[in-house]
Amino acid sequence: MTALFNFQSLLLVILLTICTSTYVHAIAPTFMNNHKQGFIGIFWKAARVGERLSPYISLCCVFMAVSMLIGS
């Protein structure tokens, strides 16, 4: 089953995309700043969300980790 059909997996993929994009943007900011349009622009936007909402993203990651522990 893909992550599109399972809501919890979809949220996990979105959170991992935001966290990974934010990390890559911190390491190589010129790469993402030069590619704001197109497919890579999605990752630039995810990096912006991760930078601006980092406390909320962190809380969501902790919540997802706890829910994964409880669910398994």
Side-chain angles (χ1 to χ4, degrees):
M1 188 185 307
T2 64
L4 295 175
F5 299 118
N6 187 353
F7 186 68
Q8 187 174 6
S9 296
L10 179 65
L11 288 179
L12 183 64
V13 168
I14 291 170
L15 279 174
L16 288 175
T17 302
I18 290 171
C19 293
T20 304
S21 298
T22 305
Y23 179 75
V24 170
H25 188 263
I27 298 297
T30 56
F31 174 72
M32 285 202 180
N33 288 339
N34 292 337
H35 297 94
K36 292 180 183 177
Q37 269 46 330
F39 183 71
I40 297 178
I42 295 170
F43 300 109
W44 180 80
K45 291 174 187 173
R48 288 288 157 209
V49 169
E51 290 172 353
R52 294 181 180 172
L53 299 175
S54 60
Y56 299 110
I57 297 296
S58 299
L59 287 174
C60 289
C61 287
V62 169
F63 177 73
M64 288 298 289
V66 170
S67 69
M68 290 288 187
L69 285 174
I70 292 172
S72 61

